[in-house]
Amino acid sequence: MEELLYLYGVTWKEEAQETDMTQWRGVDDSHHLFHIELGNLAAVVSFVDESEFGEEVLEEKTNEMEWLRKKAFRHHEVLLQLNDGMTLIPMKFATIFKKEENLQHKAAVYETEWKIILQQLQGTEEWNVKIYNRSDLLKEHTAARHPEVMKRKEDIAQMSKGMQYLQTKKLDSFIQEIVSQEQETYAGNLHHRFKEFCVDTNSKKVWNKNVTGKDEEMCWNGAYLLKKEQVEPFLEQVTTAQENGRDAGWMIEVTGPWPPYHFSDTKTVSGVEG
């Protein structure tokens, strides 16, 4: 049975040499991790069996949702372990090489790019922030404080019952427009405030309630790359924003540190090479 090389990530050679990778098992939860030196860099790899990760087999396996979920999660777990102790360029799930010389050839092509990325990632952490809002609370908050809304309410109170009904419907539509604008503006302002602490940021897809399963609407989804010394003040800023926005239905979900998935994009693709 032939063994293939599964690539998890690329790091500095010195950092790889200082890390005991044999304590961790790879994506198959069987073979241990080790590193292959690539000049000043090192590739973190493990062996995988061709019977499970060969090119033809892999094409079939990735259509099996349970297998894919399990292996992709294990891949992520390995990256979390590695990221905790080294500067790492994480690779996509199922980046596989038939032989070490194929990996060495790929490294020669990407060496300059990988070094630039590693230099940018040195001493940093990725944190993700999702901003949610309960529109019903924001609507109440707006109705009680917005000057134009308050004025219109006073005017409506002086009208006949029939006019009150019509104008109240128009006012509800007006308030909803304000709420939608406020959600966009508020989330955007928070993002720019958080951005001041960061080396780089990256916007992510904003999901609807059917995907998140939450009652709140997602208004922002972003990744933030921070120098480690900026993490604490960044999180303090997030906490302050959370507290200040609670009455208006704002909720902020922050997670991390993560492998720098959103700040280490390379042109390498998953699949079996060579």
Side-chain angles (χ1 to χ4, degrees):
M1 183 183 301
E2 188 173 348
E3 291 185 325
L4 309 173
L5 281 172
Y6 188 108
L7 176 63
Y8 300 93
V10 173
T11 185
W12 297 113
K13 179 176 69 175
E14 292 81 2
E15 293 188 29
Q17 291 173 335
E18 294 169 359
T19 305
D20 178 17
M21 298 179 191
T22 59
Q23 61 185 306
W24 299 314
R25 296 181 186 273
V27 69
D28 61 357
D29 207 24
S30 176
H31 292 85
H32 290 279
L33 303 187
F34 63 99
H35 75 272
I36 295 174
E37 294 184 4
L38 310 169
N40 292 327
L41 307 178
V44 181
V45 300
S46 73
F47 287 119
V48 290
D49 293 331
E50 188 177 28
S51 61
E52 186 174 25
F53 288 90
E55 190 168 4
E56 292 182 5
V57 178
L58 190 61
E59 188 172 340
E60 295 178 4
K61 288 287 188 180
T62 50
N63 290 319
E64 298 176 12
M65 288 301 102
E66 181 57 27
W67 182 92
L68 182 60
R69 183 199 63 78
K70 181 179 178 181
K71 297 303 181 184
F73 182 72
R74 181 61 194 148
H75 173 90
H76 172 65
E77 284 185 318
V78 172
L79 291 178
L80 284 175
Q81 292 169 323
L82 294 171
N83 189 65
D84 190 45
M86 64 177 63
T87 308
L88 184 73
I89 300 176
M91 293 293 157
K92 294 183 176 70
F93 172 72
T95 301
I96 300 168
F97 297 86
K98 290 185 176 180
K99 299 177 181 179
E100 181 178 335
E101 48 261 45
N102 301 129
L103 172 56
Q104 293 283 359
H105 175 73
K106 179 68 69 174
V109 174
Y110 288 98
E111 180 181 13
T112 300
E113 180 182 348
W114 286 347
K115 285 182 178 179
I116 292 173
I117 294 173
L118 283 170
Q119 289 167 354
Q120 293 170 339
L121 295 177
Q122 196 80 35
T124 65
E125 293 181 354
E126 176 180 321
W127 288 77
N128 292 345
V129 175
K130 295 179 175 65
I131 302 176
Y132 298 89
N133 180 251
R134 274 189 56 183
S135 57
D136 58 333
L137 290 182
L138 182 56
K139 187 173 181 179
E140 291 177 9
H141 191 270
T142 300
R145 292 168 175 77
H146 195 281
E148 179 62 22
V149 173
M150 296 172 68
K151 180 179 182 303
R152 290 196 187 190
K153 281 185 175 182
E154 292 175 0
D155 292 342
I156 291 172
Q158 307 303 316
M159 298 177 183
S160 65
K161 293 295 184 181
M163 287 298 293
Q164 282 184 358
Y165 176 78
L166 292 173
Q167 293 303 317
T168 298
K169 295 287 286 184
K170 289 184 178 180
L171 180 58
D172 285 342
S173 296
F174 177 67
I175 293 173
Q176 189 56 54
E177 289 178 9
I178 295 174
V179 166
S180 297
Q181 292 171 0
E182 177 64 13
Q183 286 178 331
E184 183 177 346
T185 301
Y186 188 90
N189 288 341
L190 281 185
H191 165 61
H192 286 293
R193 195 185 309 170
F194 298 157
K195 191 176 179 180
E196 295 176 2
F197 295 87
C198 303
V199 175
D200 198 3
T201 65
N202 204 323
S203 61
K204 301 167 62 181
K205 185 175 178 60
V206 174
W207 301 99
N208 60 36
K209 293 180 181 180
N210 292 334
V211 176
T212 65
K214 294 181 179 290
D215 295 329
E216 298 85 0
E217 296 176 37
M218 185 185 291
C219 301
W220 174 256
N221 188 8
Y224 297 83
L225 187 68
L226 300 106
K227 288 291 186 182
K228 290 183 178 180
E229 60 268 23
Q230 288 295 319
V231 170
E232 186 173 345
F234 172 79
L235 295 178
E236 288 175 355
Q237 185 68 226
V238 172
T239 300
T240 299
Q242 172 85 296
E243 293 171 351
N244 292 342
R246 186 173 287 113
D247 290 344
W250 291 100
M251 184 183 78
I252 305 174
E253 183 181 275
V254 57
T255 57
W258 299 111
Y261 293 124
H262 298 92
F263 305 98
S264 53
D265 187 37
T266 68
K267 300 180 182 67
T268 54
V269 295
S270 58
V272 181
E273 299 193 29

